[in-house]
Amino acid sequence: MLTMFFPKLNDLKLTNAVRAFYRSALYPFVIAALMALAEIFAMEIAVYYLYLILATVGLFFCEDALCILPMACCGYMTFAYKNNPGKFPETTAFSRRENLIQLFVIVALGAVLLIGRLVTFLITHPTRRVPALSLGFLLLGIAYLLGGVGTEGYVFAKDFPYALVQILSLCFFYFYFYYSVDWEKVKKSYIFVVFLAIGVGMLAEIGAMYAHEGVFRQLENGRWEVNRGALGTGWGVYNNVGCIMAMCVPAPFYFAAKNDKWGWAFTLLGCVFMLGVAFTQSRGSILFGAVVFVMCVVALLIKSKGKNRIRNLVIFAALLIGLAIGLAFFRDRLSALFSAFKTGLDDSDRFNLYRGCVENLKSSPLVGVGFQNSAGYSIHPGTFTPRRAHNTVFQLVASGGELALLAYLFHRMQTLWLWLKKPNFEKTMAAFIIAALILTSIVDCNFFNIGPGLLYGCVLVYMERCANAEAEKGIEN
């Protein structure tokens, strides 16, 4: 913003150095490292101050608001397990008034910065372009906000704010970055650098989960096993962690295909990311993360050439052999370590939730019964977040009825068209990131969690403005 009022700043070496840092691959890793530090060591407030400082410098001296995108993706995963009000209501840092005041000040200053950067960018980059997904998001937002209106049990003060947060989590950053970033100057690999950094940070958070009390428990026969119920973070349970980790899986495979010399190293990292998904103990994330993993492997083998393809084939062959040996000779130990598999096909009360959603649809076919009543009751009485259906379609028809389902299908058709219209490798791998969210949401409520929605919007605007085949001016790699 400052360079708009003081053009001579553009000629300073310091300004160019600052811009180079914020556009570099290092910067997203700095943001992701701070994310992991905040969650693991309960340093949220300190990290938020650092985020605010980095945002201020970036927005003042950089040419656009791209510096905010890694923070938009990482911010949700900063909340620490030790400060989880559901587990430690009396000791959480956010129960103290002074911390809430600091958090409010940080958010308020951040909002002012974001608005200021958006306005100044629109002044210097006027446009009449309308984002391609606007109509779909508009219809989905209307359906969300109308969900449950006029039905028994609908409470405007609870249902409307939650529905508003839901739709904003999906589309706010899609629209913001559409109008505040000069995408023609963004490297086409940028979003994959961000998700690569998030994946590394998530591995650290997953590792830290295993230090929680009660994770390892001894059975009557003297053996030890993992109690997956004790796994979690301050921002979500193991299913939520598994979804985010699964969304990161395509990132290393993108670089594995693009880098002939060191592609094999990224392939190994992609396998480690999938192992990280397994260690979240989330059955849905493991199942559908594996589907995305296979899709990435196929795309990699098609895209890679020569020695790089041969190296990748060797790695995958070794992986299959190692997996076969593990299942043949260490089945009991693997079963104790990955307790998710012991649960088998148990539905964990999901089918009852689904039946309840169908009944809610029958009682109010057009607009459903709203988010607060769609699955029967809240997770904790008096909390903002209600219990959800653990399935996107059932949640939609229960919360917003036929109107919400039709709006979602229209939105999904638009996103598919965004991918399939002049497809390329960048758009395909970005689509795999979104596929991880959509697929895991078949058995979990990830699409209706706030965090994944923030990442969802960022990936969509990247696909439209940077990875699009028409964006020939976009910088390669």
Side-chain angles (χ1 to χ4, degrees):
M1 287 186 287
L2 285 180
T3 55
M4 176 182 174
F5 301 102
F6 305 100
K8 290 184 178 181
L9 289 175
N10 289 309
D11 301 325
L12 296 179
K13 291 183 178 180
L14 178 61
T15 301
N16 292 327
V18 168
R19 291 175 175 175
F21 166 69
Y22 281 98
R23 293 270 176 166
S24 71
L26 174 63
Y27 175 66
F29 279 90
V30 170
I31 299 301
L34 290 173
M35 171 196 78
L37 287 172
E39 198 286 322
I40 296 171
F41 299 106
M43 296 172 57
E44 296 102 315
I45 298 297
V47 166
Y48 297 156
Y49 276 118
L50 290 174
Y51 275 5
L52 181 62
I53 293 171
L54 288 168
T56 302
V57 174
L59 293 175
F60 276 2
F61 290 95
C62 291
E63 299 169 297
D64 56 25
L66 186 66
C67 63
I68 299 299
L69 194 146
M71 297 183 193
C73 291
C74 292
Y76 186 80
M77 286 84 77
T78 56
F79 294 100
Y81 178 79
K82 296 178 183 178
N83 289 324
N84 189 327
K87 292 185 177 294
F88 311 105
E90 297 180 358
T91 59
T92 173
F94 295 104
S95 64
R96 295 196 289 271
R97 185 170 178 268
E98 62 272 19
N99 286 337
L100 290 176
I101 292 175
Q102 292 183 78
L103 185 61
F104 174 80
V105 171
I106 292 170
V107 171
L109 290 175
V112 171
L113 286 169
L114 290 178
I115 294 171
R117 177 68 271 192
L118 176 62
V119 171
T120 54
F121 187 85
L122 289 175
I123 292 173
T124 56
H125 297 76
T127 178
R128 293 184 179 180
R129 296 178 63 178
V130 177
L133 304 181
S134 296
L135 181 58
F137 275 128
L138 176 63
L139 295 176
L140 194 61
I142 292 173
Y144 276 17
L145 296 175
L146 290 179
V149 170
T151 61
E152 184 180 357
Y154 176 82
V155 179
F156 178 84
K158 290 185 177 181
D159 283 275
F160 188 87
Y162 186 79
L164 182 62
V165 169
Q166 282 291 313
I167 188 60
L168 287 178
S169 71
L170 294 173
C171 70
F172 176 80
F173 284 118
Y174 167 78
F175 287 109
Y176 183 82
F177 292 125
Y178 187 98
Y179 288 114
S180 65
V181 172
D182 186 354
W183 288 101
E184 292 185 352
K185 296 182 179 180
V186 179
K187 292 183 179 180
K188 289 190 175 183
S189 62
Y190 185 80
I191 200 70
F192 302 105
V193 174
V194 172
F195 274 84
L196 193 71
I198 295 173
V200 173
M202 289 304 303
L203 289 177
E205 292 194 14
I206 292 168
M209 291 196 308
Y210 281 82
H212 297 167
E213 183 179 354
V215 171
F216 295 98
R217 61 186 177 188
Q218 191 171 20
L219 304 177
E220 294 180 357
N221 58 11
R223 292 187 176 182
W224 291 83
E225 74 167 9
V226 171
N227 171 27
R228 71 175 186 149
L231 295 173
T233 61
W235 51 270
V237 298
Y238 53 87
N239 286 330
N240 309 136
V241 180
C243 169
I244 298 296
M245 191 71 238
M247 292 177 72
C248 295
V249 168
F253 288 105
Y254 171 83
F255 293 104
K258 287 287 188 174
N259 194 315
D260 291 335
K261 184 177 181 180
W262 297 102
W264 61 271
F266 287 105
T267 300
L268 287 175
L269 184 58
C271 295
V272 172
F273 275 22
M274 186 60 222
L275 185 62
V277 175
F279 271 100
T280 66
Q281 307 284 349
S282 170
R283 290 176 297 167
S285 298
I286 294 171
L287 172 61
F288 294 110
V291 172
V292 173
F293 177 83
V294 172
M295 291 161 57
C296 291
V297 169
V298 173
L300 170 61
L301 294 178
I302 293 174
K303 184 68 175 179
S304 59
K305 300 176 182 178
K307 293 182 179 179
N308 189 26
R309 180 181 292 173
I310 294 174
R311 295 189 192 102
N312 290 325
L313 285 170
V314 170
I315 290 173
F316 295 133
L319 178 66
L320 288 174
I321 294 172
L323 183 61
I325 292 174
L327 292 175
F329 297 101
F330 304 101
R331 184 183 296 270
D332 291 341
R333 293 183 180 181
L334 289 174
S335 179
L337 179 60
F338 296 104
S339 58
F341 296 109
K342 280 191 173 183
T343 311
L345 297 177
D346 180 73
D347 71 302
S348 298
D349 201 38
R350 282 172 171 77
F351 290 152
N352 283 330
L353 287 174
Y354 300 161
R355 282 189 284 269
C357 289
V358 172
E359 293 302 316
N360 285 328
L361 174 64
K362 291 179 180 178
S363 68
S364 179
L366 184 61
V367 296
V369 298
F371 282 100
Q372 295 292 334
N373 299 307
S374 60
Y377 55 89
S378 295
I379 297 175
H380 303 290
T383 61
F384 181 71
T385 304
R387 193 184 191 197
R388 284 148 296 167
H390 288 75
N391 176 277
T392 301
V393 173
F394 283 114
Q395 183 70 61
L396 286 167
V397 297
S399 302
E402 297 166 351
L403 185 63
L405 180 61
L406 291 174
Y408 174 79
L409 291 176
F410 181 80
H411 168 68
R412 187 55 58 226
M413 289 176 61
Q414 282 197 312
T415 57
L416 284 172
W417 179 246
L418 182 64
W419 169 35
L420 296 175
K421 182 183 179 182
K422 297 184 178 181
N424 56 32
F425 189 64
E426 282 76 17
K427 289 172 71 174
T428 296
M429 297 305 287
F432 288 171
I433 296 175
I434 292 177
L437 171 59
I438 295 173
L439 291 174
T440 57
S441 298
I442 293 175
V443 292
D444 285 310
C445 49
N446 297 314
F447 194 77
F448 297 94
N449 290 331
I450 297 171
L454 302 178
L455 279 68
Y456 177 75
C458 292
V459 176
L460 286 177
V461 70
Y462 161 82
M463 289 179 67
E464 181 174 345
R465 296 302 308 276
C466 187
N468 200 311
E470 296 178 355
E472 297 297 336
K473 295 181 182 180
I475 302 172
E476 293 289 344
N477 299 324

